């Protein structure tokens, strides 16, 4: 006869006619919760919605019963731990000792520790919260899980948050039970090994956007460089050489000139490491050798760099819309009209400038639109709906198209300015000439890799072919083909 755990853990969501959660079937698995905080309430809501019988243990059940779903049973702690085999411990570490009076009732049960230490507590204690809990209850099996899931994610559903749930325990059977429970709740369990890994698991929520640190510092560094460079050219040079005060440009105009530079260079840095990796594979003649650490980390941060590029480009578009609203712009427009009247010019029209501006703006809109597609498909909910070929097409082909459009946008903006002596203020070249360096290198390298001779060789390498590869088979000494090498 099959056991209780052989039954499906997830059942149809039970909903009353008024939309509230109905009471689960009496045959549904029973799960206990010790604790009545925000996380415990969200956990109870999620478990009831997944078809479990939930029993919540509290020191004062009458006071908190109205905070939990009506389908959940709220009772005293001793009664709550009597029947469930899996019990969530949703209390802080300093309150673990208050549960020691339940040791006899908890013997042989699975305790799921969902607590998280503060950063100070994590540094202060050598053992994790889960290991400390296991030391207090040696007759129980402690599993560390669900600590990386927020109370909001439990209520809103895993599709609106992170689906992965790291799980670690010294007992494989306990990990299996909790993993099935996580599956039933709609999450994806990730086996992190023994309970000794609990300290690492508990450190996960303490990191603030770890994968964004280097890309953010890179973007800030580029912004500071280009902002200083533009301020010297557009503000300091007129003040020193022409005695004109243009410091009013610092809050908006100089920022708007800086943002596209940062976005353009960041976008090129998304595709530069892939080009370097392809060149390295061609030179080595194999794909089975690791990339250098710096290149490997660079490849892993491409998504974050691309999203920061889109962020800067979007800000540039918003700042550009604000330019005509400035008082300085209106004053310049009036002064230009007065100069035209004084010079007795009734019609001011430069055909070349008109065409250049039309093409320049059109290319910019196209580049931003293409970059928007890259940003949207980087979202997990969108990326998971695409197959690998579709995702690769958007991120690789359309991404390179966005880089080309951005390059044409920049070239149209520059036009002939790079060859005008008046544009070299303080002997510094125009800013757009600096931004073109890395993107042009990437585009040229991509074009070279599209040559048939290089493209075929790179395709063979990525399919497993190796330069000068050979496999040596060891045969018995009396075999006539012994010591011979077979080449592939």
């Amino acid at each position: 006869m099959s056991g209780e755990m052989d039954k499906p853990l997830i059942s149809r969501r039970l909903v009353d006619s008024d939309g509230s959660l109905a009471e689960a079937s009496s045959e549904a698995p029973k799960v206990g919760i010790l604790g009545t905080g925000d996380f415990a309430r969200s956990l109870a809501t999620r478990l009831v919605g997944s078809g479990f019988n939930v029993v919540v243990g509290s020191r004062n059940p009458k006071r908190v019963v109205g905070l939990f779903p009506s389908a959940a049973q709220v009772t005293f702690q001793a009664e709550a731990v009597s029947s469930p085999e899996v019990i969530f411990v949703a209390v802080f570490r300093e309150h673990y000792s208050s549960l020691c009076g339940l040791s006899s009732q908890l013997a042989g049960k699975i305790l799921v520790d969902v607590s998280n230490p503060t950063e100070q507590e994590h540094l202060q204690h050598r053992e994790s919260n889960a290991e400390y809990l296991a030391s207090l209850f040696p007759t129980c099996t402690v599993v560390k899980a669900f600590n990386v899931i927020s109370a909001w994610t439990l209520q809103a559903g895993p599709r609106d948050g992170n689906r992965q749930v790291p799980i670690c325990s010294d007992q494989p059977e306990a990990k299996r039970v909790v993993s099935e429970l996580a599956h039933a709740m709609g999450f994806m369990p990730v086996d992190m090994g023994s309970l000794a890994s609990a300290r690492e698991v508990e450190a996960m929520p303490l990191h603030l956007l770890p994968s964004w640190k280097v890309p953010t510092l890179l973007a800030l560094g580029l912004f500071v460089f280009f902002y200083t460079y533009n301020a010297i050219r557009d503000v300091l040079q007129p003040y020193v050489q022409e005695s004109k005060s243009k410091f009013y440009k610092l809050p908006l105009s100089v920022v708007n000139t800086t943002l596209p530079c940062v976005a353009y260079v960041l976008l090129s840095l998304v595709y530069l490491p892939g080009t370097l990796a392809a060149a390295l594979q061609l030179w080595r003649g194999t794909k089975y050798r690791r990339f250098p650490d710096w290149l490997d980390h660079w490849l892993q941060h491409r998504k974050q760099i691309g999203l920061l590029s889109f962020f800067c480009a979007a800000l540039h578009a918003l700042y550009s819309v604000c330019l005509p609203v400035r008082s300085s712009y209106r004053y310049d427009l009036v002064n230009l009209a007065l100069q035209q009247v004084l010079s007795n010019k009734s019609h001011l029209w430069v055909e070349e400038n008109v065409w250049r501006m039309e093409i320049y703006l059109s290319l910019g809109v196209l580049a931003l639109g293409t970059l928007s597609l890259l940003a949207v498909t980087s979202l997990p909910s969108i990326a998971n709906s695409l197959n690998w070929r579709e995702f690769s097409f958007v991120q690789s082909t359309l991404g390179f198209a966005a880089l080309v459009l951005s390059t044409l946008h920049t070239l149209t903006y520059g036009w002939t300015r790079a060859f005008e002596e008046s544009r070299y203020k303080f002997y510094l070249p125009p800013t757009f000439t600096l931004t073109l360096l890395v993107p042009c290198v990437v585009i040229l390298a991509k074009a070279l890799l599209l040559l048939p001779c290089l493209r075929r060789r790179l395709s063979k390498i990525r399919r497993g072919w190796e330069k000068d590869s050979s496999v040596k088979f060891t045969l018995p000494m009396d075999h006539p083909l012994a010591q011979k090498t077979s080449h592939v």
Side-chain angles (χ1 to χ4, degrees), residues 9 251 391 395 411:
L9 286 176
F391 182 79
Q395 295 293 324
L411 290 172

Side-chain angles (χ1 to χ4, degrees), residues 302-381:
R302 287 180 296 176
K303 173 183 175 180
Q304 290 78 11
I305 296 175
L307 289 175
L308 287 173
S309 173
F310 169 71
F311 175 71
C312 292
L315 284 182
H316 169 55
L318 293 176
Y319 269 89
S320 298
V321 172
C322 296
L323 289 178
V325 184
R326 300 175 303 156
S327 296
S328 59
Y329 176 84
R330 295 198 294 269
Y331 290 146
D332 288 338
L333 193 62
V334 172
N335 290 332
L336 180 62
L338 288 175
Q339 291 176 6
Q340 186 176 346
V341 171
L342 293 175
S343 59
N344 198 24
K345 292 182 179 179
S346 61
H347 184 71
L348 183 61
W349 183 276
V350 181
E351 189 75 16
E352 180 182 343
N353 289 343
V354 171
W355 274 99
R356 180 180 69 84
M357 184 58 66
E358 295 290 324
I359 297 173
Y360 159 71
L361 292 175
S362 179
L363 290 172
V365 171
L366 289 174
L368 181 60
T370 310
L371 197 56
S372 301
L373 286 177
L374 300 180
V376 170
T377 53
S378 297
L379 299 175
S381 57

